[in-house]
Amino acid sequence: MASAARSTLQHRVWRWHFFAGLMVIPFAIILAITGAIYLFKPQLDAAIEARINANAAPLAGETLPADALLASAQAAYPGSSLAKIVVQSSPDDPTLEIDLRGADGLRTYWVDRTTGDVLHSVATPARFMNFVKRIHGTLLAGDRGSLVVEIMASWFIILIITGIYLWWPRGAAWWRVFVPDFAANGGKRETWRKVHGMGGAWIGGLILAILLSGLPWTQVWGDGFTKAKSLAGLKAPGQEWFVTLQSTAPHTDHSDHDHSMHTGAELWDQGKGAAEVSVKSATAAGGDLRPLTLDEVFRAARPEQYAPPVEVQPPRGANGVWTVRSMAASRPGRVTVHYDRWTGEEILRIAFTDHNPVDRFVAQAVAFHEGALFGWLNQLTGVVAALGVILLSLTGAIMWWRRRPKGRIAVPPMPADKRLAAGVVVLILVLGLFLPMAGLTLLIALAVDTLIGLGGRLRRKPA
């Protein structure tokens, strides 16, 4: 009885392993294409900005103050407030990029630093690379889409590992995993299987590394990773993901401040808040202090000392702080500094080295995922991986089509070697524990499969 139950479980897991592969294929191709495009965000953004800058007045002498440029952008978007400014990476850049938040959502403006004219504006989510990123991360479906992406990425990891296990040569030289014998007579179906297996052997490890490095962005795995770090005592400096900072307001009671959320130091953008930590400046209460102007913030921050691009975010709430952040592609170059809104005093500085070793390692892995760890060669590596994903997806679909039972949407039969099938089942179950969304969907699929099987037996049972 136990043997029969075990055999039934193996058969069901085997079937759903193949069904999962079929479901993953279209999503894998979408993620590969959008991921390959997003690798070249720096170049594409620079090309777009160059077209805008071509319409700017030549730089000559003094440029307009930052406050005047902000006022010009806000005049074009009445009722808006400053969300973020991206400081020009070079003194020769003739425009300032300003993000404003208003009734119609976030909009990005490029303002001529010499004349104050708005040269171009666009809804921030509609910017090409932001649009590509939303497809890649959420399939344009918000949190639900993000869960779908996590499920598909988790199953792709399982498929690569189990695929390599199935492809590994038994009774032949190990190097045949990389160079199969195409001369052996096996027909077109066998040729496609060899192309698929060889492709997975050559590029599966690279694809696996990219998929694993993307897990910290995900909802379920990413949140679990954050909680695991917290339980292990691994927290970011002064905060976890977000930090609440407050300037010392000149005419208020220190016990009743309007706290505002500010990111402490984004090594990678998970988009989730965690515990708040309050940090006060040492500024004394009282006096006739006035908030800093934007130009004074620029002077206090000295952005030329930071690796570009440099972002400036305004205080939030009545007593928030100014935040200046380097978002350099190279993670060790990133630094976040918070300034008192009344005096310009530096309240908190967080550099890459202030983070725990796990976060530093993961940040470098995320940079690899983005194609930003070692320049153009990293981008090329990402493109090769994306092409590999498409190759495995298309050859996998062709293999299934040629091997499926004729005339039915079904999966190939289990291999004659029961130990081979058992090994695949064990791998799937173990990986399902590491990748909870894959494990959960497998449990749901097995439960549905079991219920369908029970229903079929009851219908066949004689009265």
Side-chain angles (χ1 to χ4, degrees):
M1 181 70 72
S3 176
R6 184 165 57 250
S7 177
T8 300
L9 174 63
Q10 286 183 2
H11 180 70
R12 286 177 173 156
V13 173
W14 175 266
R15 285 201 302 148
W16 282 103
H17 169 248
F18 276 91
F19 282 135
L22 293 176
M23 289 187 292
V24 163
I25 285 172
F27 295 96
I29 293 174
I30 291 172
L31 296 180
I33 292 172
T34 54
I37 294 172
Y38 198 78
L39 290 169
F40 296 93
K41 181 181 186 298
Q43 290 90 338
L44 289 171
D45 282 350
I48 291 171
E49 187 169 335
R51 291 182 60 186
I52 296 170
N53 289 348
N55 298 317
L59 288 175
E62 291 293 323
T63 57
L64 292 174
D67 293 281
L69 301 177
L70 173 60
S72 178
Q74 288 180 308
Y77 193 4
S80 63
S81 60
L82 175 62
K84 180 180 70 178
I85 289 179
V86 179
V87 181
Q88 64 274 9
S89 57
S90 166
D92 297 329
D93 190 339
T95 61
L96 187 66
E97 183 181 323
I98 302 174
D99 285 0
L100 298 179
R101 182 181 289 106
D104 295 330
L106 278 174
R107 289 192 67 84
T108 302
Y109 289 80
W110 284 265
V111 184
D112 191 313
R113 293 172 59 208
T114 299
T115 66
D117 294 337
V118 173
L119 300 179
H120 185 69
S121 73
V122 64
T124 306
R127 294 181 65 175
F128 178 69
M129 295 311 295
N130 288 346
F131 179 68
V132 170
K133 183 178 181 181
R134 284 166 53 218
I135 297 175
H136 188 75
T138 69
L139 302 173
L140 302 180
D143 286 344
R144 291 181 181 178
S146 177
L147 285 175
V148 172
V149 169
E150 181 174 357
I151 291 170
M152 297 306 162
S154 299
W155 271 108
F156 207 159
I157 291 171
I158 291 175
L159 291 168
I160 289 175
I161 293 174
T162 55
I164 291 175
Y165 172 78
L166 287 170
W167 172 246
W168 197 265
R170 291 162 179 84
W174 65 267
W175 53 267
R176 281 297 184 189
V177 71
F178 298 104
V179 187
D181 184 8
F182 284 99
N185 185 21
K188 290 184 178 180
R189 187 176 72 178
E190 182 65 13
T191 298
W192 281 113
R193 188 183 78 87
K194 290 176 179 177
V195 171
H196 183 80
M198 183 178 67
W202 278 101
I203 207 168
L206 175 59
I207 296 172
L208 198 60
I210 290 177
L211 287 169
L212 290 171
S213 64
L215 289 177
W217 274 309
T218 59
Q219 289 190 60
V220 176
W221 198 96
D223 284 349
F225 179 59
T226 300
K227 291 174 182 176
K229 287 190 303 175
S230 180
L231 289 174
L234 296 172
K235 295 183 179 181
Q239 38 81 45
E240 288 179 341
W241 292 109
F242 288 79
V243 60
T244 298
L245 299 175
Q246 56 184 355
S247 302
T248 306
H251 297 296
T252 59
D253 179 1
H254 291 297
S255 64
D256 187 25
H257 290 309
D258 179 7
H259 297 276
S260 58
M261 297 298 290
H262 287 268
T263 49
E266 292 182 352
L267 289 179
W268 69 92
D269 178 17
Q270 191 186 35
K272 300 289 182 182
E276 297 183 12
V277 179
S278 180
V279 181
K280 289 183 180 180
S281 74
T283 307
D288 296 324
L289 297 178
R290 60 167 178 78
L292 294 177
T293 65
L294 184 56
D295 288 282
E296 289 172 333
V297 173
F298 275 33
R299 285 196 294 270
R302 295 186 299 277
E304 68 276 7
Q305 295 185 357
Y306 304 142
V310 178
E311 298 179 354
V312 177
Q313 294 180 348
R316 298 183 184 180
N319 201 37
V321 298
W322 283 98
T323 300
V324 178
R325 177 180 300 109
S326 165
M327 294 298 290
S330 173
R331 287 338 191 246
R334 290 195 172 186
V335 61
T336 297
V337 184
H338 300 282
Y339 294 94
D340 188 295
R341 72 179 303 172
W342 308 103
T343 66
E345 175 189 357
E346 183 179 308
I347 298 176
L348 179 66
R349 176 181 292 263
I350 302 174
F352 180 81
T353 52
D354 294 323
H355 289 266
N356 63 70
V358 171
D359 277 350
R360 295 202 298 268
F361 174 80
V362 173
Q364 297 284 45
V366 168
F368 171 71
H369 186 100
E370 293 178 329
L373 186 60
F374 43 89
W376 66 266
L377 187 57
N378 195 168
Q379 292 175 316
L380 179 61
T381 301
V383 171
V384 170
L387 293 174
V389 169
I390 295 172
L391 171 69
L392 293 179
S393 298
L394 294 179
T395 54
I398 294 170
M399 282 172 54
W400 166 79
W401 183 259
R402 289 183 171 275
R403 296 179 64 199
R404 80 193 195 288
K406 193 170 183 61
R408 290 194 293 138
I409 303 293
V411 302
M414 292 179 67
D417 186 347
K418 300 301 182 184
R419 291 175 300 177
L420 190 62
V424 171
V425 171
V426 170
L427 279 173
I428 292 172
L429 295 178
V430 171
L431 291 170
L433 296 175
F434 174 69
L435 302 164
M437 290 308 296
L440 177 61
T441 52
L442 177 62
L443 288 176
I444 294 172
L446 292 176
V448 170
D449 197 9
T450 301
L451 291 174
I452 292 173
L454 288 173
R457 285 195 294 272
L458 289 174
R459 284 193 300 270
R460 292 192 299 270
K461 189 176 182 180

